[in-house]
Structures are given as C-alpha cells and as structure tokens.
Amino acid sequence: MDVWSLSKQGDHPEDAAQDGNRFLAANGYMGLRGVPEEAGADRFPAVTLAGVYDRFQDRWREPVNAPNGLFVQFFLDGLPLSLGKAEPLMHSAQLHYQNGVYHRRTEFDAVLIESERFASLAQCHLLADRYQMTFRRDGELTLYTGISTEIWDINGPHLFDFRHEQGEALLTEAVTGEKHITVAVAQAVRPDFEAQEAFETTAAGSFRVLRRAVRKGETLTVALFAAVYTSLDHPAPGEQAARLCLRMKELGFAACLAAHEDAWADVWRRSLVELTGDEEAARALHASQYHLNSIAPRHSDAMSIPARGLSGQTYKGAIFWDSEIFFFPMFAYTQPEIARVLLKYRIDTLPGARQKAASYGYRGAFYAWESQEGGQEGCTDFNVVDVFTHRPVRTYFRDKQIHISGDIAYALRSYYEITGDRSLLEEGGAKVILECARFYISRASARLDGDTVDLNDVIGPDEYHERVANSAFTNAMALHCLKSALMLRELFADRPEWFARLLKDLNYEQDWALIPPLIARIRRPRLRDGVIEQFDGYFELEDCSLDDVRARLRDPREYWGGDHGVAGPTQIIKQADVIALLALFPGDFTDREVADNWQYYEPRTEHGSSLSACMYALTACRIGKTDEAWELFLRTANIDVSGSSKQWAGEIYIGGTHPAANGGAWMIAALGFAGLRIRDGRPELHPSLPRQISRLRFPIVWRGERLTVEVTREGGRFLRG
Ligand code: BGC
C-alpha cells in the first residue's frame, strides 16, 4: 500500500460530491475540489475562498466560490475528449499527501491525458496545472482553456457583473451580491507547442482556444497558472491576479512546483506523526494531517478554519467549536504560529460576540455558534429541514450552545500552557477570557445567595437534547472559564498595573467579585454509580438501545433531534458529551471514573458527528481499552479517505472534508496513544499503544523548544530537537 496517497480507478460521476472532498487540494487561502479539469457544474467543481462570504436573497450566507481558472477541455476533429462526454478506456485519480499534488490519467481511444495540479502552499493565490496529451491518431486539436464561471453554489448565485479581459493573461472579475467584494481570477498558459490562438467568451466563462494539427504519437503539454485575489486582499485584485499569473508563467511550472513542495516538506518536518506497524493506519494519519495542514490559514494573522474546511459551502463555511477543541491541539503543539492565528480570529471577533450576548440581554461575550467574518452569527433559527413536511425545523443551536465561549477560553489558556507565550493574552486574549467569564456570570440563572447556581436552558455537545438544564459539559466549561479569569491575575502578577488597568477599562470590578462565589456554587453534575449525568433528568429518559431508536426511523435521512426527533425522549446521544468533558480535563477525573462513564455512554452514543469517535478514543486509551481506541482511531482518521461519512442532516447536505476528525486523529495519536499530557506545567507521556503499533514518533514544540516524542512498546521518551 502506498501510505502517502489516495487513488481511485474508473470514472464514477455518481461519487463526484464525495470525491471532490477526498481529493481536495488546498492551501488555506482556497480549496480546489478534486474534480477533473473539464468538470461542469454536475460534478461540483469549486474553488472555495477562505473568509469570503455572501448572502443571496434570503438564503443562508455561505462562502464564495471563485471561478475556476484551471479549466481545460478539448476536441479532436470536433469530437469531445472529456469525461462525461466520451467514454474513457481507463481513468484514475490520485492525491499525493506528501506534496498535495493531484494527478489524473485518462485514456480515450484517441488520446492519453495526464495532468498534475496543486494549490500552491508557497504562494497562496496560485493554482497551477501541467496538462499533457499524447495522441494516438492524427487530427485537428481544438483546446479550450480558461476561466470557467460554471461553479457550484449551494445557496447562490454569489457573483454578478462579470467582466472579462483577454490577452496574455485572461482576467475575469465579478462582484458579490451582498457586500460587493470583487473576486478576480487570472489565467496564463505556457504551452510547449505552437498553436493558432483565439479567444471566446460564453455564458460558461472566458476561454483561450488553441488550434493545431497533431500527429499520432505526439505529446503536447500546456502549463496553466491561475491566480485568485479579492478586494479583501488588495484594492486592485484584478491587476494583482494578472501580474501574478504572468510572473508564474515566466517562472515555469517546475519552479512553482518546487517551491510548493519545499513548503510542504517544511510542514511535514514540523508535524508528521510517523506510525509504524500498520499501513492502513499510517495512510489514514497522513491523510488527516494532510487535510488539516492544507487548510491552515498561513496567509493571515487572524483567521480560523471552517467546519468543512475549504471543501465547499457546507455548514456555511462557518467556524465552530471544532476550531478550538479539535483543530487547535495539533497546531498548538506543532506550529504554534497557526494556533495563534486561529485564536486571533476570536480576539478580533470579540465585538461580534459582545453584540450577540447583548442581543439576548446578557453581558460579556457570547460567541457565534457558526461564526462568519467579523464574528457574525451564521447559524439560523431553522438549521434543519424536516424530511416529511419539507418544513424548516426550529433548532436552538445558536441560542443555547453557550459552551462555545468557554471552549474559546479553554483554548486561549491551553495556548499559554503549551507555548509559554503570554503575548496573545496580552494582545486581547485576556480580555476575551474575562468577557466570556462575564457572560457566564450574567447567564447564571439563580441569585448568588442561593446554594447552587444553575445554567438552565442550554445545549451541550449532544445536539439531540436541546434546551436542557445543567449540562455537565457546559457547566464544566463555564467553571473552567471563571477559574481561568482568576488565573490571569496570578499569571500577570509581575504586571499588576497592567492587569488592574485591564479590569478598569472593562469596568470589571463588580464582576470580579462575583467570580469566586459563582465558582463555589455553579451546579456540579449528579452522579449515579460513578456515572456523570449528562444534564438534569437525563437518567430519567427512556433507556433503550441505539438499534431500538434506529428502528423507529421512517426515513434514513430523518433528523434524530429537534422537536420530534427519535433520540429526544431517550438516552441516545448524538456525540461525545460527558466523554468529551473527561477527555478535555484528564487531571480532574480518576481512571475509574473515566472507565465507568465510558462503559455507560459509549453504547448510548450514535457517533452521529465526526467529532465523537476521537473523544471516545482518547478516553479509551486512558483506561487501557486499546482495541476500542484502535477501532475508533481508524474510524476517525479514515473519514476523508473513505468518504463514508454522514451526508445529510434532514434535507440539508453536510458532506465535505472533516477537519475536526483530522485534528482528532492527531489527538488520538499524540494525546491518546503516546499519552502526551501537561501536568504541573511539564509535558509527560503516558503511552497506551494499541498492539498494531510498534512505534510512534512525532515532533512537538514545547514552550519554544523543539522535542521529538518517541513511543515504542518499551515506553515513551522525549528527545531534543
Ligand atoms: C456537531 C457539532 C459540530 C458541527 C460542525 C455538528 O453536527 O454536532 O458539534 O460543531 O457539526 O462540525
């Protein structure tokens, strides 16, 4: 098995949606879906832009897809030689995880097509493709290449007022409907052959047409350079794009590829987890690390990663708690500058979080559940469509999933603990923690003179049970946030004036005094035989099996939560909830407690979210359930290899790549199998290797120092460098 690539034989248009995700080439600025160059809208081609959103009419706001500047289609003697238009003798696609290069090879009677393309990690505005044709008979070639505006939109269209310029560079500009953001795509080509050149503009885009006679046995290659800029990047995006693609054309494909490969080599040097003993697992881990690394916002100083990465518009391109809890750890331990960029996004979007809190009558910061640019809430009141009535179902994710603020505070504190770098807290992070704590103070339901304080009417990670009281996870996150606020004073004990000024600027005096009593009184969960109750009254719900609940479904796409969902009246949960709590606070629970809860909750968990299995795997490692951990690891790490994940929530398409599972795979390997943990301010290893693994080796940066973690069956150790 090639542990560094994913291949697929044959042309399967019915798999186009999933394959577009699995074969994604991305660079943090944009994601190029894994579809062939000639793909029309039926194969869901897209160049999804990070951080650029638009709303069409009253539909969901979602990220904007740029026109596709790597379009190629050709004809021999007028006959189309493209997938979907002619039957291939053979077709294969391959994605190389080591360098993020996508290869395709297609054989028709008359021609063999081979191409390799990438989204440059060295120059984030660049897409490049080397497209090659070897002819098996003489004929007249007509090749169209250019900028296709036939792009996939879920809730579009988003681009209007198209303007095309044609010359050495083709340039297409359009503006978004809502905020009038200009999106510019330029394309230049470098054929290794002479041809007659003409231009065409059609409803499908702007094209260069190359015509010439070809002979049997002849191979022609054309290199394509597409550049994408928006007016968020530069005031003259069109000029920038045209200039860049012409410069890259001069440089040539090989040089562009070399720079891109160097950038990837550096990423792997800093983050690769080498897993020895099982090839399928090694490949799955490479895939996971490839996908997560490929969508990291290296080009920005404040940006986060959407829940479906840059694989399209699903989940509205929004930023969820996935960022802080699932993506953040790999970056914090391997490329802390990226972890910083993710958190800087939250610091910058504090005004949005304050506004959201105020809109519900609270103080402090209530972060968006589905955060778009500026912290704008992308989550709608009706986030699911009922399969029976086709009516939107009222969901309360945006209103009640208040753990989001605590999750952000949790990551801000972890960033400091892992990197030892206080500057992020100084540059707004401390303010965020204080404002999140203030939100919980104002959200707590009882007066502080009572014995306990409840957090009522919330949703924990398990979204199938909405509007519950005292979610164990949520209360623990709120508690941690309040404690982190107090910790700040100790942390800045050497800068008392700075800290006092911060409190003063935030007008925080009264709230500060409320933190200790709230910490003392916030409701701790009920325990039954050592099992933590997920929320008040959970144990009283019907205790049936997952199969029982599944048998009650009348449609496979039916939503399990919401008002009439089959899971609601039962103890069946969507995803790790109490178990996520145990995984995130390992020091607060004994092995016995972890084991009791794991035993109870695992059979009651649907794992209906890709965020679930990794939390179960992490805790399984802790209690020596290595066989279970192994199975959950494979499920997590293989998710974007197999493409076999949940594709629908009610009538809403939710397919795409799964960065949370990708980050989860790193977490299982590093924090679970190797047992990397911080105790008393020092990293420790508590290995729990499944029998399939003989060795794990990976780099981390611990408080600025580069270390290599090595774990074998004999134990684990840190090596310098
Ligand atoms: C999960 C959430 C998650 C979101 C985005 C939902 O299905 O329940 O926990 O944040 O997907 O990944």
Side-chain angles (χ1 to χ4, degrees):
M1 174 190 264
D2 176 0
V3 297
W4 277 105
S5 73
L6 174 70
S7 310
K8 180 154 177 171
Q9 303 297 326
D11 182 36
H12 304 277
E14 69 285 5
D15 297 342
Q18 269 145 294
D19 288 346
N21 304 322
R22 300 159 70 214
F23 289 94
L24 185 80
N27 64 9
Y29 178 84
M30 57 190 158
L32 173 65
R33 285 174 57 79
V35 296
E37 284 85 350
E38 63 270 36
D42 56 332
R43 296 208 183 204
F44 315 112
V47 177
T48 303
L49 301 178
V52 186
Y53 297 90
D54 180 65
R55 180 172 196 170
F56 178 65
Q57 294 173 352
D58 61 351
R59 300 189 192 166
W60 285 357
R61 290 188 93 236
E62 63 185 11
V64 171
N65 286 330
N68 171 18
L70 293 186
F71 182 84
V72 191
Q73 186 177 27
F74 68 90
F75 298 79
L76 198 61
D77 298 326
L79 282 175
L81 291 169
S82 321
L83 290 173
K85 298 221 166 79
E87 201 48 48
L89 303 173
M90 184 285 282
H91 171 73
S92 67
Q94 196 171 31
L95 175 67
H96 293 272
Y97 295 129
Q98 205 147 17
N99 58 5
V101 173
Y102 170 89
H103 284 257
R104 60 91 59 105
R105 195 182 149 88
T106 311
E107 231 178 301
F108 292 105
D109 275 340
V111 67
L112 169 68
I113 304 171
E114 288 164 288
S115 77
E116 50 179 336
R117 67 173 198 226
F118 58 90
S120 174
L121 206 64
Q123 167 48 268
C124 72
H125 298 280
L126 176 70
L127 302 170
D129 192 336
R130 176 160 51 195
Y131 191 89
Q132 188 170 296
M133 298 150 289
T134 304
F135 295 94
R136 291 175 170 168
R137 62 172 170 79
D138 297 353
E140 277 301 316
L141 168 72
T142 312
L143 181 137
Y144 289 81
T145 178
I147 303 168
S148 162
T149 53
E150 270 199 20
I151 44 180
W152 178 39
D153 272 326
I154 296 182
N155 290 295
H158 297 297
L159 296 177
F160 302 92
D161 301 335
F162 280 92
R163 196 178 71 75
H164 305 289
E165 276 177 32
Q166 297 176 323
E168 191 185 355
L170 297 180
L171 172 63
T172 294
E173 284 189 322
V175 287
T176 62
E178 185 193 8
K179 294 193 173 168
H180 310 293
I181 300 164
T182 304
V183 174
V185 180
Q187 194 229 46
V189 298
R190 191 161 147 167
D192 72 347
F193 53 92
E194 299 279 311
Q196 214 187 4
E197 187 178 73
F199 297 102
E200 262 185 37
T201 307
T202 69
S206 162
F207 306 98
R208 189 186 308 271
V209 191
L210 301 178
R211 287 196 177 87
R212 63 168 268 154
V214 295
R215 300 192 150 275
K216 182 175 174 181
E218 192 174 17
T219 297
L220 303 182
T221 306
V222 53
L224 317 174
F225 306 89
V228 184
Y229 275 85
T230 75
S231 50
L232 301 179
D233 308 319
H234 197 277
E239 264 171 46
Q240 286 297 113
R243 202 174 299 150
L244 178 68
C245 72
L246 290 174
R247 214 171 67 226
M248 294 299 119
K249 171 184 167 178
E250 278 310 301
L251 212 57
F253 182 86
C256 293
L257 177 61
H260 165 74
E261 288 183 323
D262 281 353
W264 265 110
D266 191 49
V267 168
W268 287 116
R269 188 179 54 74
R270 296 181 62 189
S271 65
L272 172 65
V273 180
E274 291 172 63
L275 183 155
T276 315
D278 187 284
E279 292 198 332
E280 185 199 345
R283 199 261 293 264
L285 201 45
H286 294 156
S288 302
Q289 289 203 276
Y290 160 76
H291 278 293
L292 188 52
N293 271 316
S294 76
I295 51 176
R298 294 184 167 78
H299 62 285
S300 170
D301 61 0
M303 185 174 252
S304 199
I305 302 174
R308 288 288 179 266
L310 298 176
S311 60
Q313 295 159 321
T314 358
Y315 278 127
K316 310 170 191 117
I319 316 299
F320 292 66
W321 70 312
D322 307 31
S323 284
E324 283 70 28
I325 303 298
F326 297 84
F327 316 158
F328 171 83
M330 180 184 93
F331 292 123
Y333 275 110
T334 65
Q335 299 153 85
E337 72 284 4
I338 296 172
R340 183 178 235 281
V341 171
L342 301 185
L343 291 177
K344 194 75 186 4
Y345 167 79
R346 297 299 196 175
I347 293 174
D348 286 3
T349 54
L350 178 62
R354 279 176 166 151
Q355 258 169 31
K356 177 172 169 185
S359 76
Y360 288 96
Y362 301 119
R363 295 177 299 114
F366 180 12
Y367 276 88
W369 178 244
E370 301 186 12
S371 184
Q372 296 182 332
E373 81 277 39
Q376 185 165 335
E377 178 64 88
C379 189
T380 56
D381 286 347
F382 299 91
N383 231 23
V384 173
V385 176
D386 180 58
V387 283
F388 303 113
T389 60
H390 310 293
R391 288 199 190 111
V393 179
R394 176 67 162 108
T395 49
Y396 291 86
F397 308 144
R398 63 179 275 166
D399 318 270
K400 308 294 177 191
Q401 227 157 142
I402 63 168
H403 65 82
I404 179 68
S405 294
D407 304 334
I408 291 165
Y410 178 93
L412 279 162
R413 181 162 167 183
S414 307
Y415 176 82
Y416 165 70
E417 282 165 358
I418 297 166
T419 63
D421 170 15
R422 237 173 36 169
S423 68
L424 190 67
L425 292 172
E426 287 163 355
E427 291 162 25
K431 200 193 276 185
V432 167
I433 293 178
L434 289 166
E435 285 295 75
C436 290
R438 175 182 261 164
F439 167 64
Y440 290 119
I441 295 169
S442 79
R443 181 64 165 70
S445 62
R447 290 192 0 234
L448 292 180
D449 51 6
D451 281 346
T452 54
V453 173
D454 299 312
L455 282 176
N456 286 326
D457 202 5
V458 305
I459 305 178
D462 161 30
E463 292 181 338
Y464 289 165
H465 294 92
E466 300 195 22
R467 312 196 68 168
V468 300
N470 294 312
S471 134
F473 181 93
T474 308
N475 286 22
M477 272 299 171
L479 191 61
H480 182 74
C481 175
L482 294 162
K483 289 182 178 169
S484 302
L486 289 188
M487 179 220 68
L488 290 171
R489 184 157 66 182
E490 288 159 41
L491 187 65
F492 289 103
D494 60 335
R495 295 188 63 195
E497 277 150 33
W498 177 81
F499 193 65
R501 158 124 250 131
L502 178 64
L503 293 185
K504 188 154 184 292
D505 288 350
L506 291 174
N507 205 2
Y508 212 85
E509 209 169 293
Q510 275 189 353
D511 289 309
W512 187 260
L514 291 175
I515 293 179
L518 187 52
I519 289 178
R521 290 185 178 82
I522 198 161
R523 182 81 81 100
R524 303 323 194 246
R526 183 156 68 121
L527 294 178
R528 196 176 72 186
D529 300 330
V531 180
I532 297 172
E533 189 173 41
Q534 188 177 293
F535 51 81
D536 289 354
Y538 171 82
F539 288 143
E540 273 74 59
L541 296 177
E542 183 192 348
D543 194 12
C544 54
S545 74
L546 203 50
D547 285 342
D548 291 337
V549 167
R550 205 168 269 128
R552 294 174 193 171
L553 293 174
R554 281 182 291 141
D555 185 306
R557 287 191 192 180
E558 195 176 326
Y559 182 56
W560 292 33
D563 266 358
H564 308 291
V566 286
T570 76
Q571 290 190 30
I572 296 303
I573 62 174
K574 178 177 179 185
Q575 64 198 89
D577 188 303
V578 168
I579 295 302
L581 161 64
L582 304 183
L584 295 177
F585 297 96
D588 292 359
F589 300 95
T590 63
D591 290 355
R592 182 61 208 263
E593 286 167 320
V594 175
D596 287 344
N597 281 280
W598 204 97
Q599 220 55 48
Y600 190 84
Y601 281 108
E602 205 288 326
R604 291 170 176 78
T605 306
E606 188 217 355
H607 296 298
S609 157
S610 60
L611 280 55
S612 188
C614 87
M615 291 294 176
Y616 277 93
L618 282 171
T619 40
C621 289
R622 164 97 185 260
I623 53 177
K625 284 183 175 293
T626 50
D627 284 347
E628 287 84 345
W630 178 249
E631 191 273 317
L632 291 158
F633 168 72
L634 288 180
R635 212 192 292 181
T636 301
N638 264 322
I639 196 160
D640 292 326
V641 175
S642 65
S644 62
S645 60
K646 211 178 193 177
Q647 302 286 307
W648 299 92
E651 287 191 345
I652 310 289
Y653 177 65
I654 55 168
T657 58
H658 298 81
N662 304 154
W666 182 92
M667 284 158 78
I668 301 169
L671 313 181
F673 297 157
L676 175 62
R677 216 178 289 166
I678 303 170
R679 200 158 58 187
D680 301 329
R682 297 290 314 156
E684 291 179 352
L685 296 174
H686 300 266
S688 182
L689 279 189
R691 62 196 151 79
Q692 292 83 352
I693 303 180
S694 52
R695 194 179 78 137
L696 267 185
R697 205 181 144 92
F698 56 92
I700 61 166
V701 193
W702 169 255
R703 304 208 155 192
E705 189 183 353
R706 288 187 187 282
L707 300 172
T708 299
V709 173
E710 191 177 67
V711 179
T712 61
R713 305 222 67 84
E714 276 69 61
R717 59 190 179 142
F718 292 103
L719 307 166
R720 271 182 208 291

